[in-house]
Amino acid sequence: MAARIGIFFVFVAVFLSISAFSSAQDLQIVNAERRIDLSSHIVKAFLTLKVENIGKDPAAEMLLAFPPTQIKNLAMVQALAITGKKKKKTYLPLDVKPTERPDAPNDTGYYRVKFISPLGPGETVSLEVLYILTHSLEPFPVEITQSESQLVYYHDSAVILSPYHIKQQTTFVKTPTTRVESFTSIEPANRAGKEIKYGPYENRASYSYTPVIIHFENNSPFAVVEELVREIEISHWGSLQITESYRLTHGGARHKGVFSRVDYQSKRSVSGASSFNALLAVLPPRVNSVYYRDNIGNISTSHLRTGFRKSELEFEPRYPLFGGWSATFVIGYRVPLEDYLFEASDGRRYLNFTFGCPLVETIVNKLTLKVVLPEGSKDPSAVLPFTVNQELEVKYSYLDIVGRTVVVLQKDNVVPTHNVPFQVYYTFKPIYMLAEPFMLVTAFFLVFVASLAYVHIDLNIVKK
Amino acid sequence: MAALESPQPGTPTAMRNAFGNVLSVLILVLIGVLAFSIRLFSVIKYESVIHEFDPYFNYRVTQFLSKNGIYEFWNWFDDRTWYPLGRVIGGTVYPGLTLTAGTIWWVLNSLNIPLSVETVCVFTAPVFSAFASWATYLLTKEVKGSGAGLAAAALLAMVPSYISRSVAGSYDNEAVAIFALIFTFYLYIKTLNTGSLFYATLNALAYFYMVCSWGGYTFIINLIPMHVLLCIVTGRYSPRLYIAYAPLVVLGTLLAALVPVVGFNAVLTSEHFASFLVFIIIHVVALVYYIKGILSPKMFKVAVTLVVSIGMVVCFIVVAILVALVASSPTGGWSGRSLSLLDPTYASKYIPIIASVSEHQPPTWPSYFMDINVLAFLVPAGIIACFSPLSDASSFVVLYIVMSVYFSGVMVRLMLVLAPAACIMSGIALSQAFDVFTGSIKYQLGASSNSTDDAEDNTSTNNAPKDDASAGKTDKGEEIVKERSSKKGKKKEREPADKPSVKSKIKKKALVLPLEASIVALLLLIMLGAFYVIHCVWAAAEAYSAPSIVLTSQSRDGLHVFDDFRESYAWLSHNTDVDDKVASWWDYGYQTTAMANRTVIVDNNTWNNTHIATVGTAMSSPEKAAWEIFNSLDVKYVLVVFGGLIGYPSDDINKFLWMVRIGGGVFPHIKEADYLRDGQYRIDSEATPTMLNCLMYKLSYYRFVETDGKGYDRVRRTEIGKKNFKLTHFEEVFTSHHWMVRIYKLKPPRNRIRGRTKKLKSKTSSGLSSKSVKKNPWI
């Protein structure tokens, strides 16, 4: 299916490339090298581009193009500009934004990369681009039994899709094992060990597209968190309570037929190769009161190693996850407040915490991060390096009257590279901390006063 | 001493009483804390989780209640269980517990205390055991004074029998019902002592709560009439008795009929007839007393002969009608459980399903020692103490203990009803014994040093106000008490406070023991108490805290956790379709619906014997027949519990004979003898072919031989009989980590081969119908 779309795309691309927007033609890519890493279910592609301005006007930005099958699975695009010579290379992060073009051929998606300084005519610049694709390995066969290992398809183009003319390009594809069932060969292409090399191809017109399919073995854990809700509750009494509820599935080839415990236990190497049973969560250092449970109680298989720089929680779901199986669980922990809550120069407080999912090598389809501010805090604002949906909620917790403001940050398609710090700013007066103790004291006082009054008041109608 | 014997309104006594009240409130609070905290071992040692089987059902109902509200709850038709029959939960469940926990949850949440339903359910039982010990205090106080009350409350707070049903997480009806039971009895005694209609009304309400909570309410509605009858027979009739009883029957029955699960049973079944009979009798007696009051003795004699002759006729007619009514119903109007109470052999003869439950078995002697421990020795002393002097209240307690001893002897579960009675009796016994011993010590010391007594009196009143006047000296003896168990020591000090005047007089005259003997006896009693405390703590910590869904075993290389049940329930809930039906033996029905949220065929509410027998038949049939039975019930998965790999003894193979018996009780082609070799139940190579080919055997031991090469079953301690076999109609879809739960899927029916289809068609309809009849043996 995807292949057919790809072929169709080539035709369209050829037609459209003639009429492609003129401004794009001011740039050309002198040399492109792409390395695609398929060793886990998160596809990482590194592009090294050498861009030249062949137009007359300085160019402030360039475009990266992605086919529609990839654009919806694109979790992240990062670009770095390389300056300096070989020994003294420095990397400068560039501003990357998704963008739309009205004349985009065949639903091509674009990202706009802004150069540090506009590229003058005749100048060249070297760029490193990293983009991450999720859900791009399609299991085939779709259903496997316990003893089979998992084979997947990867669809892409042998040449880089680009709105610019590319003079020379090479693509390297790295597979997890040497077992590659088949791959589309576009001459010159060859395979050595775990690597497939496409190219070098010379002088490809803009919007060239040559679809390839690689069919290979990938038994790495396809751990997909369908939904993750992280709740960070700030208590000014000294701790940060984090509760993460997961819905985890195995996103690989579906399990078919029998699950035999004998085979799974005795022939571990061949049986259930594509399944996974162990997960690793990287938690903050100085974490305490860690719990791991689901809605029917504790799950007793976990180990916690606390370290100076990070803590590692090694845990297992209740049962091994085979393709298509899912499990839900909750991880909760507490960290000291002083590590994460700071006071800004303008008197506001801010929480500095890590975004993303603590599980290593997992995709999160939908991440909702809720920062529960203490009762009485005002003017919340979140600062993140990428765009997320933001909204505000109110949550009522222990003995609240006005409720706590909750900053809800929601993002789809989150990968481990999204684990970067973010900040939530708010104002808070410490006097509010005393509201609840004061309420309790008052309530007890009233109870005693009432009982005092009751003892001393004679409620009898008739005097005895 | 003079101050005590004649209570003056003077300040020392008033102060002493005030201090005493504050102190006893403090002690009661501490007892409550003790009752609550001794039940937290399960949370500390394991986790905050619902235990066992029935609590899971109650938890599920509470979840439904908190989510959908009370009206939806009354109308709840549960289609997740007893497929395809379903069950009307709102009308067949005792709602007291769930409504209680639901209300607590609702109150907490409206105060913005966001506790989960599960947390509330887990801690309901400990909270109510604190209430129960306070109710025991009240009840015993009414019988024998507050000293005995405090002793009884402390004993009840930690009696192992009650702990076994009310540890944190044991979210079962009994947890709430024991409190309701004791409280109802307290209000009854209170009414009896005061003759207040206010308490009588409260009593009816408490009885209503009890009816809501537990089927054991029939114990109340039979015990109280018995006591009333006893009072009447022994000539203790009084208007107070009338007020205590008549409103209870009228209001109580009306209120009980409001509970859907009881409904018209409150007037129709034999369990309640005793109360109506006594109701009539008490009116007759009241009428007689009334007439006796207004007539002259001569006229009264005439009236008696008249009334007796008419009354006999009326009674005869009423009894005849009752007998006819009772005789017309097959079980004589008695439910199976009640009948097995009256005739302990009834269940094992007629209803295997009741007999198959271990808690319906008669207890063994060790279980008495385990569950009420030293109370068993103190009870007789308490009974004797109740007879001196015998009051209405103490006769009730004596009757209560006698009846509960009988019932506990029939059914181990009713040990729970015995426990409060034993605690009350032992509390009385301990308190009286301490009274006597400390009293005689005081007397002895008082006799020797009468002069110093008064001097010390003044000083001691301030700091030890509850003690007798001569407390100064005895404090030395009592210091040991305080050291050993401070709570108890304080309690014992308190007895003489409430009913001191009359009794201390008697004691001093009649029951003066030598000083040394008293001190030794006191020490022995304290040791007895200490032993009881140690035993209770041990029982709470070691014996009764295991949640039974998680098993642990201590081995050389640390603690092993067997969490297989939840592993497989979690697997079922996440990896099967939400409407799939799971068949298992009924023990696991509640857990499957609550934890896996899947429809089950039978569950622990064993209301339909035929349905259970169908599952039992399927389990004891060969594979093909079993497949057909399960397929006709839309079953997709079959769950069996197997302990042979790790040695978990209460697995399905050990329960299998009950399946055969219950199945055979309805479907006669299943014969128990086919599964036994020379009357012995075995699964090794000597086992009968029927046994080795039945579904339960096959599902339990499928590919078991591949684990160790021999197929050694660690529960039965033998190698299995049939080792290598294939399944034709089932396929293994999940086996838990320690093999404790194995889940099989029914294979889809095979496509019919053309020839066979043709044959079937040619046979036409008559052949088809006869065949289908043959296929479904349970129709």
Side-chain angles (χ1 to χ4, degrees):
Chain A
M1 182 66 183
R4 211 183 299 154
I5 290 174
I7 293 164
F8 174 62
F9 194 82
V10 175
F11 288 115
V12 177
V14 170
F15 284 117
L16 286 179
S17 61
I18 302 160
S19 63
F21 29 92
S22 53
S23 67
Q25 290 304 328
D26 291 346
L27 294 173
Q28 78 164 354
I29 295 168
V30 184
N31 191 359
E33 187 191 281
R34 183 168 58 156
R35 291 182 175 275
I36 301 172
D37 181 4
L38 300 178
S39 51
S40 83
H41 66 139
I42 301 172
V43 176
K44 300 184 194 80
F46 301 91
L47 275 175
T48 312
L49 302 174
K50 199 172 176 192
V51 186
E52 187 185 12
N53 190 348
I54 52 169
K56 294 191 179 73
D57 302 320
E61 56 185 38
M62 71 170 290
L63 291 172
L64 298 171
F66 296 96
T69 46
Q70 288 187 354
I71 194 83
K72 67 175 193 293
N73 294 328
L74 203 58
M76 170 167 254
V77 182
Q78 283 177 329
L80 299 167
I82 309 169
T83 54
K85 291 287 175 225
K86 278 191 176 174
K87 283 279 167 78
K88 289 182 183 171
K89 266 188 190 172
T90 49
Y91 295 94
L92 285 170
L94 297 177
D95 187 28
V96 183
K97 284 262 161 59
T99 180
E100 304 251 323
R101 296 210 75 104
D103 50 352
N106 223 5
D107 299 332
T108 307
Y110 293 97
Y111 275 75
R112 193 186 63 206
V113 181
K114 206 168 188 179
F115 298 128
I116 309 165
S117 53
L119 197 63
E123 283 180 341
T124 59
V125 69
S126 291
L127 295 180
E128 285 274 355
V129 177
L130 162 70
Y131 63 90
I132 292 171
L133 295 170
T134 57
H135 303 288
S136 297
L137 300 182
E138 180 199 341
F140 188 85
V142 179
E143 289 193 330
I144 55 171
T145 61
Q146 190 180 350
S147 55
E148 286 173 300
S149 74
Q150 176 171 273
L151 299 172
V152 293
Y153 278 144
Y154 175 67
H155 301 271
D156 205 338
S157 165
V159 294
I160 299 164
L161 183 73
S162 172
Y164 310 110
H165 179 85
I166 303 178
K167 276 181 139 175
Q168 193 186 37
Q169 60 176 314
T170 330
T171 295
F172 298 94
V173 180
K174 192 181 156 217
T175 56
T177 57
T178 52
R179 186 175 167 198
V180 175
E181 295 288 298
S182 68
F183 65 99
T184 317
S185 178
I186 310 280
E187 287 301 328
N190 57 21
R191 182 169 85 91
K194 292 181 180 178
E195 198 169 71
I196 301 167
K197 184 182 175 192
Y198 283 104
Y201 304 115
E202 310 270 334
N203 284 329
R204 292 294 165 132
S206 58
Y207 292 111
S208 302
Y209 193 87
T210 21
V212 292
I213 298 175
I214 305 166
H215 192 203
F216 61 100
E217 182 190 57
N218 189 338
N219 280 327
S220 70
F222 276 45
V224 179
V225 180
E226 287 188 339
E227 194 177 359
L228 168 60
V229 180
R230 296 181 81 192
E231 192 178 272
I232 302 166
E233 193 165 335
I234 301 169
S235 160
H236 277 259
W237 292 100
S239 69
L240 218 57
Q241 173 70 46
I242 297 123
T243 315
E244 300 167 348
S245 49
Y246 292 83
R247 201 170 77 227
L248 182 77
T249 53
H250 186 299
R254 295 187 62 82
H255 178 67
K256 177 173 73 179
V258 173
F259 165 65
S260 168
R261 184 64 79 165
V262 183
D263 293 343
Y264 184 73
Q265 278 170 339
S266 57
K267 297 171 233 162
R268 192 64 186 85
S269 52
V270 289
S271 172
S274 69
S275 71
F276 60 91
N277 199 17
L279 294 164
L280 182 70
V282 178
L283 304 181
R286 302 225 281 156
V287 64
N288 60 66
S289 320
V290 183
Y291 64 85
Y292 167 47
R293 56 173 293 154
D294 64 3
N295 54 0
I296 54 174
N298 284 356
I299 308 173
S300 42
T301 46
S302 55
H303 293 283
L304 179 71
R305 283 190 298 272
T306 49
F308 184 65
R309 305 206 48 187
K310 63 178 183 184
S311 306
E312 284 184 335
L313 178 70
E314 218 179 275
F315 62 100
E316 292 175 11
R318 287 200 186 271
Y319 41 85
L321 286 173
F322 281 81
W325 289 10
S326 62
T328 58
F329 53 88
V330 178
I331 294 176
Y333 48 92
R334 196 173 283 178
V335 286
L337 188 71
E338 64 263 26
D339 295 4
Y340 300 96
L341 195 79
F342 306 97
E343 204 165 337
S345 51
D346 57 352
R348 291 194 297 167
R349 285 151 208 278
Y350 69 95
L351 170 83
N352 185 29
F353 207 72
T354 316
F355 195 80
C357 165
L359 296 186
V360 295
E361 283 297 300
T362 43
I363 300 169
V364 182
N365 287 353
K366 185 183 175 190
L367 171 70
T368 313
L369 206 147
K370 297 180 175 179
V371 181
V372 184
L373 303 175
E375 193 177 22
S377 38
K378 293 193 185 83
D379 316 321
S381 65
V383 179
L384 287 109
F386 35 76
T387 53
V388 294
N389 298 332
Q390 293 191 21
E391 52 186 291
L392 290 181
E393 274 179 9
V394 177
K395 183 193 171 186
Y396 292 92
S397 185
Y398 291 94
L399 297 172
D400 286 352
I401 293 172
V402 293
R404 304 178 185 201
T405 315
V406 184
V407 182
V408 183
L409 309 170
Q410 202 262 314
K411 182 165 173 52
D412 291 344
N413 216 2
V414 177
V415 288
T417 33
H418 284 114
N419 293 1
V420 289
F422 72 99
Q423 293 81 33
V424 174
Y425 288 86
Y426 63 98
T427 53
F428 178 73
K429 288 199 185 76
I431 192 76
Y432 285 113
M433 285 165 69
L434 296 175
E436 277 154 18
F438 180 72
M439 264 166 54
L440 283 179
V441 168
T442 318
F444 275 99
F445 181 70
L446 287 178
V447 166
F448 283 118
V449 167
S451 53
L452 211 68
Y454 176 76
V455 170
H456 286 273
I457 292 172
D458 189 4
L459 290 172
N460 278 329
I461 301 166
V462 187
K463 283 274 170 224
K464 278 181 182 169
Chain B
M1 236 162 249
L4 251 175
E5 277 167 20
S6 56
Q8 298 164 353
T11 40
T13 328
M15 280 296 279
R16 203 176 289 165
N17 283 338
F19 272 120
N21 287 338
V22 170
L23 206 59
S24 55
V25 167
L26 189 71
I27 291 171
L28 279 176
V29 169
L30 286 177
I31 288 174
V33 170
L34 170 73
F36 182 81
S37 51
I38 202 171
R39 288 165 168 82
L40 297 187
F41 276 111
S42 62
V43 172
I44 292 158
K45 286 184 73 181
Y46 294 88
E47 58 180 283
S48 169
V49 74
I50 308 283
H51 288 199
E52 297 197 308
F53 304 104
D54 291 22
Y56 267 98
F57 170 74
N58 297 326
Y59 169 50
R60 183 164 161 258
V61 176
T62 314
Q63 273 181 318
F64 183 90
L65 174 71
S66 55
K67 209 156 81 191
N68 299 306
I70 180 85
Y71 292 103
E72 283 294 310
F73 166 68
W74 291 124
N75 293 328
W76 185 19
F77 178 80
D78 185 12
D79 58 356
R80 293 247 147 220
T81 181
W82 291 99
Y83 183 84
L85 309 169
R87 177 183 170 196
V88 190
I89 300 281
T92 57
V93 82
Y94 285 101
L97 178 73
T98 33
L99 289 181
T100 307
T103 314
I104 295 174
W105 179 83
W106 180 79
V107 167
L108 287 176
N109 270 270
S110 48
L111 288 175
N112 278 334
I113 299 175
L115 291 183
S116 65
V117 178
E118 189 187 8
T119 315
V120 172
C121 292
V122 166
F123 292 103
T124 299
V127 167
F128 269 81
S129 9
F131 292 168
S133 44
W134 293 334
T136 311
Y137 164 75
L138 293 172
L139 172 58
T140 322
K141 189 184 165 200
E142 285 303 311
V143 179
K144 278 282 171 192
S146 60
L150 287 171
L155 292 176
L156 186 103
M158 49 191 173
V159 64
S161 169
Y162 186 30
I163 286 179
S164 75
R165 289 317 189 99
S166 63
V167 292
S170 178
Y171 178 57
D172 212 345
N173 288 338
E174 288 92 330
V176 173
I178 293 302
F179 158 71
L181 180 89
I182 301 169
F183 198 62
T184 313
F185 285 156
Y186 156 66
L187 286 170
Y188 171 68
I189 297 291
K190 184 82 184 173
T191 325
L192 202 58
N193 284 350
T194 58
S196 152
L197 203 54
F198 170 68
Y199 284 110
T201 319
L202 282 188
N203 189 19
L205 287 177
Y207 172 68
F208 174 55
Y209 185 63
M210 177 69 192
V211 177
C212 282
S213 307
W214 196 30
Y217 77 92
T218 46
F219 183 67
I220 295 182
I221 205 61
N222 284 305
L223 186 69
I224 289 179
M226 271 188 202
H227 177 246
V228 171
L229 204 61
L230 187 79
C231 284
I232 291 171
V233 169
T234 52
R236 287 177 162 273
Y237 173 80
S238 65
R240 286 179 287 111
L241 186 69
Y242 182 83
I243 287 179
Y245 186 65
L248 174 68
V249 172
V250 176
L251 284 177
T253 308
L254 283 176
L255 288 170
L258 291 181
V259 183
V261 63
V262 179
F264 279 107
N265 285 350
V267 286
L268 286 181
T269 54
S270 305
E271 280 97 339
H272 306 82
F273 282 172
S275 64
F276 302 135
L277 205 65
V278 175
F279 186 68
I280 297 168
I281 292 170
I282 198 170
H283 277 94
V284 171
V285 173
L287 189 70
V288 169
Y289 273 88
Y290 176 69
I291 292 169
K292 202 175 177 181
I294 54 169
L295 291 181
S296 62
K298 233 182 209 173
M299 284 288 280
F300 179 69
K301 258 184 190 168
V302 178
V304 163
T305 43
L306 194 75
V307 167
V308 163
S309 51
I310 297 171
M312 286 291 275
V313 174
V314 173
C315 274
F316 182 76
I317 295 168
V318 168
V319 168
I321 290 170
L322 281 184
V323 167
L325 270 178
V326 169
S328 64
S329 76
T331 56
W334 292 80
S335 69
R337 281 199 183 92
S338 312
L339 267 184
S340 60
L341 276 182
L342 297 181
D343 173 11
T345 58
Y346 177 82
S348 53
K349 268 190 282 186
Y350 301 108
I351 318 172
I353 205 148
I354 288 178
S356 76
V357 182
S358 61
E359 62 181 27
H360 293 160
Q361 309 284 357
T364 50
W365 284 114
S367 70
Y368 275 97
F369 185 74
M370 177 71 200
D371 276 357
I372 56 173
N373 199 246
V374 301
L375 304 188
F377 311 120
L378 290 172
V379 163
I383 295 176
I384 292 168
C386 280
F387 277 100
S388 60
L390 188 70
S391 63
D392 290 349
S394 63
S395 68
F396 176 76
V397 186
V398 171
L399 191 68
Y400 176 23
I401 186 97
V402 170
M403 294 314 292
S404 58
V405 164
Y406 169 72
F407 285 133
S408 71
V410 176
M411 224 187 240
V412 77
R413 186 185 188 182
L414 293 177
M415 204 72 128
L416 201 56
V417 177
L418 170 69
C423 288
I424 291 164
M425 280 303 174
S426 310
I428 291 170
L430 275 182
S431 142
Q432 296 280 316
F434 272 90
D435 240 8
V436 168
F437 295 135
T438 52
S440 53
I441 289 173
K442 270 173 223 158
Y443 181 76
Q444 300 277 1
L445 293 177
S448 64
S449 58
N450 227 341
S451 53
T452 54
D453 210 26
D454 293 327
E456 278 175 7
D457 180 21
N458 294 331
T459 54
S460 65
T461 40
N462 292 329
N463 44 22
K466 271 274 118 184
D467 238 325
D468 257 65
S470 56
K473 287 270 156 136
T474 37
D475 265 355
K476 273 174 201 161
E478 304 236 329
E479 258 163 23
I480 311 159
V481 187
K482 281 178 193 163
E483 275 164 24
R484 296 250 176 135
S485 54
S486 57
K487 249 165 251 152
K488 228 176 226 170
K490 279 179 202 156
K491 230 170 295 140
K492 262 86 241 181
E493 286 168 51
R494 153 167 357 283
E495 283 105 53
D498 249 51
K499 28 177 66 210
S501 44
V502 194
K503 236 185 261 152
S504 53
K505 254 185 207 162
I506 302 164
K507 239 178 282 156
K508 255 175 255 156
K509 275 171 194 154
L511 295 168
V512 176
L513 296 169
L515 181 66
E516 294 76 16
S518 311
I519 290 172
V520 169
L522 269 183
L523 287 177
L524 285 177
L525 274 185
I526 290 160
M527 277 173 65
L528 197 68
F531 178 71
Y532 176 72
V533 172
I534 291 166
H535 173 81
C536 292
V537 172
W538 172 82
E542 301 295 328
Y544 292 137
S545 286
S548 99
I549 53 162
V550 191
L551 308 168
T552 53
S553 81
Q554 197 79 44
S555 69
R556 261 171 294 142
D557 49 335
L559 190 74
H560 273 274
V561 179
F562 300 98
D563 206 357
D564 286 38
F565 286 109
R566 288 191 296 190
E567 178 184 347
S568 41
Y569 291 136
W571 183 86
L572 271 177
S573 89
H574 289 116
N575 301 310
T576 58
D577 189 71
V578 89
D579 285 324
D580 283 344
K581 280 85 192 168
V582 181
S584 65
W585 190 233
W586 59 262
D587 293 23
Y588 312 104
Y590 277 166
Q591 290 185 348
T592 312
T593 43
M595 284 199 261
N597 190 22
R598 290 295 170 268
T599 309
V600 295
I601 305 299
V602 290
D603 69 21
N604 309 43
N605 173 264
T606 51
W607 68 272
N608 188 325
N609 191 37
T610 317
H611 220 50
I612 292 178
T614 309
V615 174
T617 308
M619 292 296 190
S620 20
S621 303
E623 218 182 315
K624 187 158 185 280
W627 185 90
E628 274 161 5
I629 293 175
F630 281 142
N631 193 44
S632 74
L633 286 169
D634 279 359
V635 170
K636 201 138 178 227
Y637 296 95
V638 181
L639 180 150
V640 294
V641 172
F642 171 63
L645 186 75
I646 51 149
Y648 169 65
S650 50
D651 65 349
D652 277 348
I653 289 285
N654 274 2
K655 290 172 186 166
F656 181 59
L657 271 193
W658 288 111
M659 303 184 203
V660 173
R661 264 172 226 162
I662 293 169
V666 178
F667 305 110
H669 70 275
I670 303 287
K671 294 182 193 72
E672 191 179 339
D674 294 346
Y675 297 85
L676 303 174
R677 173 77 72 195
D678 306 325
Q680 267 189 314
Y681 177 60
R682 51 203 308 172
I683 45 100
D684 54 6
S685 47
E686 293 290 301
T688 59
T690 324
M691 178 69 212
L692 295 180
N693 282 316
C694 72
L695 185 71
M696 182 48 77
Y697 180 90
K698 283 193 165 179
L699 297 190
S700 290
Y701 293 114
Y702 177 62
R703 297 189 72 182
F704 177 57
V705 71
E706 289 172 46
T707 53
D708 59 353
K710 290 183 300 192
Y712 182 77
D713 185 323
R714 292 197 192 157
V715 177
R716 269 65 59 177
R717 296 174 188 282
T718 172
E719 275 182 37
I720 58 171
K722 195 171 169 185
K723 289 177 182 171
N724 296 301
F725 53 86
K726 286 208 169 93
L727 293 175
T728 52
H729 292 74
F730 294 85
E731 62 180 8
E732 183 186 12
V733 286
F734 189 77
T735 297
S736 63
H737 187 244
H738 303 98
W739 288 57
M740 275 165 62
V741 182
R742 312 195 70 182
I743 301 171
Y744 293 84
K745 192 178 182 179
L746 270 73
K747 280 188 183 169
R750 278 222 202 116
N751 287 338
R752 296 208 168 164
I753 310 156
R754 192 179 282 171
R756 271 184 67 190
T757 337
K758 267 183 190 166
K759 239 188 216 169
L760 266 170
K761 269 181 189 165
S762 64
K763 269 190 177 171
T764 67
S765 56
S766 63
L768 255 173
S769 63
S770 71
K771 195 152 198 177
S772 65
V773 167
K774 218 176 168 186
K775 263 184 191 167
N776 302 349
W778 62 96
I779 286 175

